[in-house]
Structures are given as C-alpha cells and as structure tokens.
Amino acid sequence: MNVCGLSCPGPLIQVKQKMDQLSNGETLRVKASDPGFYEDVKAWATMSGSTILQLERMKGGTIESVIVKNTAQPVSDSPISDPASTMVVFSGDLDKAIASLIIVNGAAASGRKVTLFFTFWGLSIIRKPQPQKLSKTMIGRMFDMMLPRGSQKLGMSKMNMLGAGPKMIRGLMKKHHVPSLEELIESAIAQGVEIVACQMSMDLMGIQREELIDQVKIGGVGYYLGQASQANHNLFI
C-alpha cells in the first residue's frame, strides 16, 4: 500500500482500514513519505497487537514497513482490558480543534475506543452551518450571534488576523495533504468515535439539539466521567 503524500493521521488511518481487511497472519507492506510515520507505525503496532517484520528508511526519504496482523490482544499492564481514550474539547479555536481531531483519529486508528465530550465553546465545532428555525430566549439569541456556526467559521487562537489566519492554515493543510477539520470529523465518526455534547453547556448557551450535527449524543458530566473511568488516556483541550 502506497500512502506517500499523506500527512498524519492519514497514513495510520489507511493502515488500520487495510489491516481490518486482512486475516490473521497476513502481512501488509506500506510505503510512506511522512517522516513521522517511522515512529508512528511502531507505536501503532504495539497498541494494535500487530508485529512489524520490517521498518526501513529508504533513499529519497520514504519509509517502508512490513506489518503482520495478529488477532491476539496485546499484553498490557493496565487494569483496563480494552484500551480507551476520552477527551474534553472545551476550546472553540480552529487550531485546537484540528489538533484534537488529529489525536482522536490516530487513537481510533490504533484500535482505541474514543469518546469526545464537547462543552462550552467547543460546541461551536459540532454546530450545523445552516441556521435552524427554532424559538430562543434573548440570551440564546445573543449566543447564537456571537458563536461561530460550525467548524468552517472557527477562528485561530493565535494570529487570527481578522479571519486571514484560518484561511492561511487551511491553505497550508491542503498543500501538505493534511485532511481538513471537516474531513477529520467525518473520519472520526466513520471510525466509530463517540461524539457527546454537554447538556449543561447547551442549556446555558441556548443551543438546541437540532443545531448540532446528527451523529451527536447528548450527555452530562456523569456520562463523561463514566467513560473516563474506563479509559487509560484522558485529555482536556
């Protein structure tokens, strides 16, 4: 499989999808150009229980790896049997949202069960871009005007430059073959990542269920803590 030209987390996602199609004991030869793939694939193999038979840096900067699929679960010292990750997405900044979704896609591609808990400003990331015909209180209408409507309207935490910053970073991502934030969200959902919106934050900010993307589950801090208690990897962004 040739994944040259793809940047993180693209190569790992492609490897995961292809390995899912193989039977136990079958091998996959991968050729990548992303310099980070050399260390990434080693960590991925450890987490997924696969075995790397070959890993070499080739002339021209490419990396070649041969991976054998093992259906046996990797041995772990963790008391949690199934590896899981949870993440609280508090920020509504474009760059932080991109970082969150890159990590999430990498975790899902490594075979981890992932829960994303969007709260406060992070809810903007999963809002639908189209206005919904809903009745709102005055406070709800104020938040509606102030908050970005969907992932394409997010600003940068640094160097927003009156909206030029987001356009610049999106242009750089496209140039370097990094999936857009919208593509990362779609990929995360396709990989089974659980998207949860904080009910309390929705109530405070006047956001209704109909305004969020269809794949969202509504929950509270109790649900998040329940998921986090079963995870061995928790982040707050």
Side-chain angles (χ1 to χ4, degrees), residues 69-178:
K69 179 172 182 176
N70 299 325
T71 55
Q73 291 296 314
V75 178
S76 173
D77 295 330
S78 171
I80 301 172
S81 57
D82 297 321
S85 299
T86 62
M87 182 185 295
V88 176
V89 184
F90 176 85
S91 173
D93 295 326
L94 173 63
D95 41 338
K96 294 176 183 176
I98 292 168
S100 301
L101 268 296
I102 287 176
I103 294 171
V104 161
N105 273 280
S110 300
R112 304 180 73 90
K113 180 182 182 298
V114 183
T115 297
L116 268 178
F117 187 72
F118 290 88
T119 186
F120 282 94
W121 318 119
L123 289 171
S124 296
I125 301 168
I126 53 174
R127 290 183 75 193
K128 292 177 179 177
Q130 306 85 2
Q132 305 297 308
K133 295 181 179 179
L134 299 168
S135 176
K136 290 198 171 192
T137 64
M138 182 181 69
I139 296 297
R141 292 195 296 270
M142 288 175 59
F143 274 112
D144 197 40
M145 291 185 290
M146 292 187 297
L147 293 174
R149 189 177 297 282
S151 59
Q152 295 183 350
K153 300 295 184 180
L154 301 181
M156 296 277 283
S157 62
K158 305 290 184 183
M159 300 184 297
N160 191 55
M161 298 182 292
L162 299 176
K167 293 181 180 179
M168 178 184 69
I169 196 67
R170 285 180 179 274
L172 288 171
M173 290 172 69
K174 185 176 182 179
K175 178 180 178 180
H176 292 280
H177 306 289
V178 178

Side-chain angles (χ1 to χ4, degrees), residues 3-237:
V3 293
C4 288
L6 294 181
S7 296
C8 179
L12 287 186
I13 294 174
Q14 294 293 319
V15 168
K16 168 66 164 53
Q17 292 174 348
K18 190 65 176 180
M19 291 292 281
D20 285 346
Q21 301 172 14
L22 303 183
S23 301
N24 188 39
E26 289 188 315
T27 60
L28 175 67
R29 181 181 295 273
V30 185
K31 183 178 181 181
S33 59
D34 181 8
F37 183 74
Y38 188 89
E39 297 297 336
D40 283 352
V41 74
K42 289 194 291 184
W44 178 88
T46 299
M47 289 187 287
S48 66
S50 301
T51 302
I52 294 182
L53 300 180
Q54 176 188 335
L55 182 61
E56 297 182 62
R57 299 184 190 274
M58 312 300 289
K59 291 182 179 179
T62 59
I63 298 165
E64 289 194 10
S65 176
V66 177
I67 312 165
V68 60
K69 179 172 182 176
N70 299 325
T71 55
Q73 291 296 314
V75 178
S76 173
D77 295 330
S78 171
I80 301 172
S81 57
D82 297 321
S85 299
T86 62
M87 182 185 295
V88 176
V89 184
F90 176 85
S91 173
D93 295 326
L94 173 63
D95 41 338
K96 294 176 183 176
I98 292 168
S100 301
L101 268 296
I102 287 176
I103 294 171
V104 161
N105 273 280
S110 300
R112 304 180 73 90
K113 180 182 182 298
V114 183
T115 297
L116 268 178
F117 187 72
F118 290 88
T119 186
F120 282 94
W121 318 119
L123 289 171
S124 296
I125 301 168
I126 53 174
R127 290 183 75 193
K128 292 177 179 177
Q130 306 85 2
Q132 305 297 308
K133 295 181 179 179
L134 299 168
S135 176
K136 290 198 171 192
T137 64
M138 182 181 69
I139 296 297
R141 292 195 296 270
M142 288 175 59
F143 274 112
D144 197 40
M145 291 185 290
M146 292 187 297
L147 293 174
R149 189 177 297 282
S151 59
Q152 295 183 350
K153 300 295 184 180
L154 301 181
M156 296 277 283
S157 62
K158 305 290 184 183
M159 300 184 297
N160 191 55
M161 298 182 292
L162 299 176
K167 293 181 180 179
M168 178 184 69
I169 196 67
R170 285 180 179 274
L172 288 171
M173 290 172 69
K174 185 176 182 179
K175 178 180 178 180
H176 292 280
H177 306 289
V178 178
S180 68
L181 175 56
E182 293 70 38
E183 291 170 332
L184 289 168
I185 292 172
E186 291 176 2
S187 175
I189 293 171
Q191 292 196 84
V193 171
E194 187 176 40
I195 308 293
V196 183
C198 174
Q199 180 67 68
M200 180 275 294
S201 297
M202 291 172 62
D203 291 342
L204 291 180
M205 302 168 79
I207 296 176
Q208 300 181 31
R209 174 65 184 83
E210 292 81 0
E211 297 179 78
L212 304 179
I213 60 176
D214 296 336
Q215 297 84 356
V216 167
K217 175 185 289 186
I218 307 300
V221 67
Y223 183 79
Y224 166 72
L225 291 174
Q227 297 300 97
S229 69
Q230 300 300 313
N232 50 12
H233 178 229
N234 304 287
L235 295 176
F236 185 100
I237 295 182

